[in-house]
């Protein structure tokens, strides 16, 4: 009974997001993911509905053992990869990105960094601390912008 109640509580927190078996992911979603990252073997999937739009998050590893996550959105024209994510060492982020973070959040102690490449080439650097706090900096290749609101994808 307690497992059922715990499951219902988790569902109530986010009823539109759930893990799915890879075998239940539409072939078109896998095809578009493979077209962008053919070197990745996808092993985990999550399905989510945000603002009425269906997303799949596919996770896997490349042949070198690096983990990748692709966010794939359903559009009127089919499925589109909208974000490619990977964990990086914070020190490898561009210097202007790190400077923007330090200026706007000087006491933020980074414990995890995700490099999130958007389809338009811009990169959102997601910085996390040990308490689950998050800060984001947008990099367009020339300038860094500290984001006051969470990035859309």
């Amino acid at each position: 009974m307690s497992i059922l109640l715990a499951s219902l509580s988790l569902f109530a927190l986010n009823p539109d997001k759930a893990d799915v078996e890879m075998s239940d992911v539409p072939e078109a979603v896998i095809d578009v993911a493979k077209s962008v990252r053919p070197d990745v073997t996808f092993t985990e999937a999550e399905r989510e509905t945000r603002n009425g739009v269906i997303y799949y998050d596919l996770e896997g590893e490349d042949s070198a053992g690096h983990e990748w996550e692709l966010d794939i959105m359903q559009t009127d024209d089919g499925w589109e990869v909208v974000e490619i994510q990977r964990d990086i060492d914070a020190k490898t982020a561009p210097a202007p990105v790190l400077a923007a973070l330090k200026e706007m959040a000087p006491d933020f102690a980074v414990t995890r960094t995700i490099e999130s490449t958007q389809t338009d080439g811009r990169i959102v650097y997601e910085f996390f601390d040990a308490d689950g706090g998050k800060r984001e900096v947008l990099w367009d290749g020339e300038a860094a912008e500290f984001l006051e609101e969470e990035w859309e994808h």
Side-chain angles (χ1 to χ4, degrees), residues 132-150:
K134 180 180 179 183
R135 304 291 186 271
E136 295 181 330
V137 178
L138 177 64
W139 175 246
D140 67 4
E142 295 179 17
E145 174 188 354
F146 186 86
L147 299 176
E148 298 293 336
E149 295 182 19
E150 188 170 7

Side-chain angles (χ1 to χ4, degrees), residues 17 34 50 57 65 69 76 85 90 99 104 125 150 153:
K17 187 174 196 173
K34 285 293 199 182
R50 286 186 255 156
D57 295 342
E69 179 182 318
D76 290 339
Q85 299 176 318
M104 298 302 290
Y125 288 89
E150 188 170 7
H153 296 291

